[in-house]
Amino acid sequence: MESAHEREKRRTAMLDALARVLEQVGFPHTTARIYAALTLAEGEGLSTSEIVEELGISKASVSNAMHLLVGTELVQRYRVPGSRETHYRMLKGVWGEILGRKFAATSYIRQVAEDAMETVDSPAARERLREMHDVYSFFEREFEDVMKRFNERNER
Amino acid sequence: MESAHEREKRRTAMLDALARVLEQVGFPHTTARIYAALTLAEGEGLSTSEIVEELGISKASVSNAMHLLVGTELVQRYRVPGSRETHYRMLKGVWGEILGRKFAATSYIRQVAEDAMETVDSPAARERLREMHDVYSFFEREFEDVMKRFNERNER
DNA sequence: CGCAACGTTTAGAAACTCCTGAACGTTGGG
DNA sequence: CCCAACGTTCAGGAGTTTCTAAACGTTGCG
């Protein structure tokens, strides 16, 4: 049988791993940890004080992080009758959204390469930019298809 | 007709834009700028002192950055007869490599979600993890296909 | 061989990001 | 309305990253 201590340790490890994923995606440390905590919450979400307690951070940090998470529509505020506190829950269907945003960068990069190619004189430089451009063009088209399939999948 | 000053300004803007792309991919500021400078070089590459002059940085910075760029096989050293300086050139075919590395993270994230799902008790949490897992599974498979097509494309 | 030209390493400083405590503003119950 | 409970803002500071100068090591020409 598993001790309460071991259970707690496993939970912490999981929270860390999840938070690292979010950090990799580009979120600040604490913001990532908050999102992870919301993922692992027992119920539908957590209140500010619950987050403060679980992660051992200040309420100012929660406020700042939520500015980002709510602003990017990854998390939603909601109220619980009888409580004055703000509660937060993850929004559904955001993981696809997160990845989709990543892909959007591809077409920007293709654009940069394209512009540079038009400006540059040296044939050697132009050749290097062309390779970059071709690769990103390829992935840009592929990602469009992938996202289309993803959206179709979600409609079902 | 275009003044030398305007030409210089355009070149700088281009270098900045390219560097930002590399930074987005996760490289340090100076490292990214060096890579951008190598991309825009007139000839096949640049020497240490040329990089120092073009970017206005110390040779120590060049040394450090090259440790990273050469180590990750994005840049190659070469020697120019008659010069004692080390020269550096971009390696070809790295952009696909860079993107490929990004995708590799997908299967790690899927794994994290899978592990967490097995550990967690709360049905609400498990449901949230399941969505995360499903999304990343989908993209993991799609990326494998995309990379396969990419590699086939390159063999021609 | 010895010297000069380079590259590398390292310790320290500068810059940046992010967190916190405290003060402030806002809101809702009584 | 007033007070208490919350959330937000902001100045300050801690931690981290990354750049540089200086000292050191290495290499190759004469």
Side-chain angles (χ1 to χ4, degrees):
Chain A
M1 129 140 208
E2 195 184 38
S3 75
H5 179 250
E6 272 169 6
R7 170 164 288 271
E8 182 55 30
K9 238 171 66 178
R10 277 225 311 236
R11 186 191 161 75
T12 303
M14 236 164 42
L15 199 149
D16 288 349
L18 275 172
R20 242 172 283 135
V21 167
L22 269 289
E23 280 190 79
Q24 240 174 6
V25 178
F27 289 97
H29 184 71
T30 300
T31 307
R33 289 182 65 79
I34 289 176
Y35 197 79
L38 290 176
T39 304
L40 298 177
E42 294 284 319
E44 73 166 315
L46 295 171
S47 72
T48 301
S49 64
E50 282 168 339
I51 295 169
V52 163
E53 195 179 351
E54 163 120 37
L55 300 178
I57 59 179
S58 71
K59 63 179 180 167
S61 285
V62 175
S63 178
N64 284 326
M66 287 312 182
H67 191 74
L68 179 61
L69 288 172
V70 173
T72 51
E73 301 194 71
L74 296 175
V75 163
Q76 197 174 43
R77 275 176 234 265
Y78 67 100
R79 306 217 129 254
V80 169
S83 166
R84 282 201 185 181
E85 279 192 294
T86 309
H87 289 242
Y88 300 94
R89 67 170 148 240
M90 288 177 51
L91 273 167
K92 303 209 168 191
V94 298
W95 288 105
E97 179 68 24
I98 288 174
L99 279 163
R101 285 178 204 175
K102 284 261 154 193
F103 298 159
T106 311
S107 80
Y108 168 72
I109 296 175
R110 196 240 330 125
Q111 187 67 47
V112 168
E114 215 162 294
D115 293 348
M117 217 167 17
E118 280 169 22
T119 310
V120 125
D121 284 332
S122 149
R126 189 172 293 147
E127 175 56 27
R128 286 187 290 265
L129 288 165
R130 206 172 56 74
E131 194 212 318
M132 178 178 171
H133 174 266
D134 288 354
V135 170
Y136 276 91
S137 286
F138 173 83
F139 282 105
E140 187 182 7
R141 281 192 302 274
E142 290 283 346
F143 290 165
E144 276 169 19
D145 292 348
V146 169
M147 285 311 289
K148 206 157 74 185
R149 281 193 287 275
F150 180 72
N151 290 326
E152 278 166 11
R153 192 192 85 124
N154 285 3
E155 276 161 22
R156 272 180 276 126
Chain B
M1 142 153 196
E2 195 185 36
S3 74
H5 179 250
E6 272 169 6
R7 170 165 289 272
E8 182 54 32
K9 237 171 68 178
R10 278 226 309 236
R11 188 191 160 73
T12 303
M14 237 164 41
L15 199 149
D16 287 350
L18 275 172
R20 240 171 286 136
V21 167
L22 268 290
E23 279 190 78
Q24 241 174 6
V25 179
F27 289 98
H29 184 72
T30 300
T31 307
R33 289 182 67 79
I34 290 176
Y35 196 79
L38 289 177
T39 304
L40 298 176
E42 294 285 320
E44 73 167 316
L46 296 170
S47 71
T48 301
S49 64
E50 283 169 338
I51 295 169
V52 163
E53 196 178 350
E54 163 120 36
L55 300 180
I57 59 178
S58 71
K59 62 178 181 169
S61 285
V62 175
S63 179
N64 283 326
M66 287 312 181
H67 190 74
L68 179 59
L69 287 171
V70 173
T72 52
E73 301 194 73
L74 295 176
V75 164
Q76 196 173 44
R77 276 175 233 265
Y78 67 101
R79 306 218 129 255
V80 169
S83 166
R84 282 203 187 177
E85 279 191 295
T86 309
H87 289 242
Y88 300 94
R89 68 170 147 241
M90 286 177 51
L91 274 167
K92 303 207 169 194
V94 299
W95 287 106
E97 179 68 24
I98 288 174
L99 278 163
R101 286 179 204 175
K102 283 263 153 193
F103 298 159
T106 311
S107 80
Y108 167 72
I109 296 176
R110 197 240 331 125
Q111 187 67 49
V112 168
E114 215 163 293
D115 293 348
M117 215 165 22
E118 280 169 22
T119 309
V120 125
D121 283 332
S122 148
R126 188 173 293 148
E127 175 55 28
R128 286 187 290 263
L129 288 164
R130 204 171 58 73
E131 193 212 318
M132 176 178 173
H133 173 266
D134 288 354
V135 169
Y136 275 91
S137 286
F138 173 83
F139 282 105
E140 186 182 8
R141 281 193 302 273
E142 290 284 346
F143 290 164
E144 275 169 21
D145 292 348
V146 169
M147 286 311 291
K148 207 159 73 186
R149 282 193 287 275
F150 180 72
N151 290 327
E152 277 166 12
R153 191 193 88 125
N154 285 4
E155 276 160 24
R156 275 181 272 125

